Amino acid sequence: MQNRTPRMPEQPIPSHVELDARFTAELASVLTGARRRALRDGDRHIDTAHLLHSLIETDPEVREAFDGGAQLARVLGYLVQRSIGYGLRWQGSVEDSGAVPVVREPAVDGWSPSALAAMEGARRRAASRGAARAAGLDLLAALAADAESRAVEVLSRGGVDARRLADRAAVLTAGAVRHG
């Protein structure tokens, strides 16, 4: 019997110690989930849509940032279609929305340039409010702020105004800081 799962090259990600230093434990779990999703889907690189999918599945605060269950269901529908190889076709290409300077080498450590930019954006957002670690809403805001990313394409197809979502995530983060 042959294994039908495509053989994917190893895609190392920063160590758990490095993740723990930059992200909350919950967000480190999201990053690990995005990596698993990319491998399972047979994608060569972890992109912003993988991050968005894992983030929505994992973080209840992120789900609250959407305008209700119907909107969230549409976005998840596109993400699921993508994961089963139907609909949005990105497999085999590296996501590079231009959010970071052009990268001549393959994506760093298996992450697309846009995914790396989103993670860096999440860390900057956390630092700007004095937090030592980025949380899910920081990453959601960073993902939604990159108009050329795959995550924003999924959001748009799901009827989500990405700019409004980024603003709402920032407001919810600020509210959590005041109440937390």
Side-chain angles (χ1 to χ4, degrees):
M1 177 179 233
Q2 290 184 342
N3 183 355
R4 294 184 183 257
T5 304
R7 177 114 171 103
M8 299 303 301
E10 185 62 28
Q11 296 179 352
I13 60 172
S15 71
H16 290 291
V17 172
E18 291 171 322
L19 288 176
D20 289 345
R22 295 184 269 179
F23 302 109
T24 62
E26 295 83 7
L27 191 51
S29 175
V30 166
L31 302 181
T32 300
R35 179 178 182 269
R36 273 194 308 268
R37 179 168 298 288
L39 288 171
R40 186 176 52 240
D41 293 351
D43 293 330
R44 290 179 39 220
H45 300 100
I46 306 148
D47 65 26
T48 59
H50 293 118
L51 286 171
L52 179 63
H53 200 160
S54 186
L55 192 58
I56 289 171
E57 286 182 334
T58 305
D59 193 326
E61 290 180 336
V62 165
R63 292 189 296 272
E64 285 180 32
F66 286 83
D67 287 335
Q71 185 183 68
L72 191 56
R74 283 190 305 272
V75 170
L76 279 171
Y78 278 106
L79 290 165
V80 167
Q81 285 180 2
R82 186 241 178 147
S83 71
I84 62 172
Y86 179 78
L88 304 175
R89 301 241 182 244
W90 297 312
Q91 196 171 28
S93 64
V94 177
E95 175 186 35
D96 186 0
S97 68
V100 294
V102 175
V103 178
R104 300 262 185 246
E105 297 296 317
V108 176
D109 293 329
W111 297 91
S112 75
S114 296
L116 289 171
M119 291 186 292
E120 180 58 33
R123 287 191 297 269
R124 281 193 312 270
R125 286 173 184 276
S128 73
R129 66 171 198 285
R133 296 180 180 180
L137 288 171
D138 294 313
L139 181 56
L140 179 64
L143 288 169
D146 183 356
E148 300 300 317
S149 72
R150 291 177 181 174
V152 168
E153 183 178 345
V154 168
L155 291 169
S156 296
R157 288 183 183 227
V160 176
D161 179 333
R163 174 66 17 220
R164 184 170 173 225
L165 181 64
D167 292 345
R168 183 164 163 82
V171 167
L172 289 170
T173 302
V177 168
R178 280 194 293 272
H179 296 103

